[in-house]
Amino acid sequence: MNTRRFSHAGTALLHRLREPAPPRPERCAFCGLDLPPGHRHLVDTEERALTCTCTACGLLFQQPGASDGRYRSVPDRCLVDPDGRLDEQSWSALGIPVGTAFLFRNAALDRLLACYPGPAGATESELDEEAWQRALGASRLAAALEPDVEALLLRRDGRLVECFLVPIDVCYELVGRLRLCWHGFDGGAEARAELDAFFARLAVRARPLPAEVTA
């Protein structure tokens, strides 16, 4: 046996084992194409799940009657209403037990849902229609919200309540980011810093709600 060659091969193997494998690119669920960061998503309304798609396949599902409505394209708009800020009374009416949540309407179930980011992902609960009306019945952002594919992302910081209309995949991006850095009962300093940075980026991205916007 060539001991020197064996030793060199063994060292190389151990080196490869220590190195993390490069992340595999995500693929389009329909055509298998490798996808870049920031790719499009569809909502699978039957499975209640996000589906990764390339631009070409995503455009196909924007055609009327495509997939009998099972797959819905996630928009990319991010809106804020400077004249429609939520107050503490509205927040209390929603009954949200934590400082950050996203709210959306599930069309198939015809239910309003609230989700709360946490260490295990997103905790989901049904939202009372009456509470929604008390808190958001006069909200232009809520009126513009598209079921399944958009959400109202809310954060309470002291007496200030921030509210953005965002694509639903933005909410699950936040859930994933917080899950990676969550420590202890309330998330800890790292999770709070991630939350601050995330909402700061949203504030830069968001555009004022146009006067004529509709869902």
Side-chain angles (χ1 to χ4, degrees):
M1 177 182 293
N2 187 324
T3 305
R4 183 177 180 180
R5 182 181 299 172
F6 177 81
S7 176
H8 176 75
T11 301
L13 175 61
L14 287 174
H15 182 66
R16 289 198 300 272
L17 289 174
R18 291 192 189 107
E19 290 179 344
R24 298 179 62 182
E26 292 185 277
R27 296 180 181 274
C28 175
F30 304 98
C31 71
L33 185 72
D34 286 353
L35 297 174
H39 54 264
R40 299 172 65 97
H41 290 101
L42 303 174
V43 170
D44 183 338
T45 58
E46 289 187 8
E47 298 294 331
R48 297 182 61 201
L50 287 172
T51 300
C52 299
T53 182
C54 66
T55 300
C57 291
L59 290 173
L60 289 176
F61 287 100
Q62 291 183 355
Q63 304 303 315
S67 74
D68 293 325
R70 172 175 176 175
Y71 294 101
R72 296 196 59 203
S73 181
V74 176
D76 62 359
R77 64 179 182 170
C78 181
L79 301 174
V80 65
D81 185 3
D83 299 322
R85 297 185 181 277
L86 297 182
D87 55 21
E88 288 188 90
Q89 184 175 357
S90 298
W91 180 270
S92 298
L94 289 169
I96 296 173
V98 293
T100 303
F102 59 95
L103 319 176
F104 67 99
R105 184 180 292 276
N106 180 284
L109 301 176
D110 192 26
R111 292 177 184 169
L112 290 162
L113 300 174
C115 294
Y116 316 124
T123 300
E124 184 180 286
S125 67
E126 192 169 344
L127 190 63
D128 181 67
E129 183 78 43
E130 184 178 338
W132 173 277
Q133 289 300 325
R134 287 200 308 270
L136 297 163
S139 167
R140 294 177 61 238
L141 283 180
L145 189 67
E146 289 194 40
D148 298 316
V149 295
E150 292 182 322
L152 296 183
L153 180 56
L154 280 63
R155 183 191 185 193
R156 181 179 183 179
D157 188 6
R159 294 186 176 182
L160 174 66
V161 180
E162 297 178 274
C163 181
F164 296 91
L165 186 154
V166 299
I168 193 72
D169 53 5
V170 167
C171 299
Y172 286 105
E173 177 191 349
L174 175 60
V175 170
R177 287 177 176 272
L178 292 179
R179 187 176 182 181
L180 288 174
C181 61
W182 194 282
H183 298 288
F185 177 75
D186 63 353
E190 189 177 352
R192 288 192 293 273
E194 179 63 51
L195 200 58
D196 288 342
F198 195 90
F199 272 83
R201 291 193 296 271
L202 273 185
V204 172
R205 175 181 172 182
R207 296 293 175 260
L209 179 70
E212 70 284 359
V213 71
T214 56

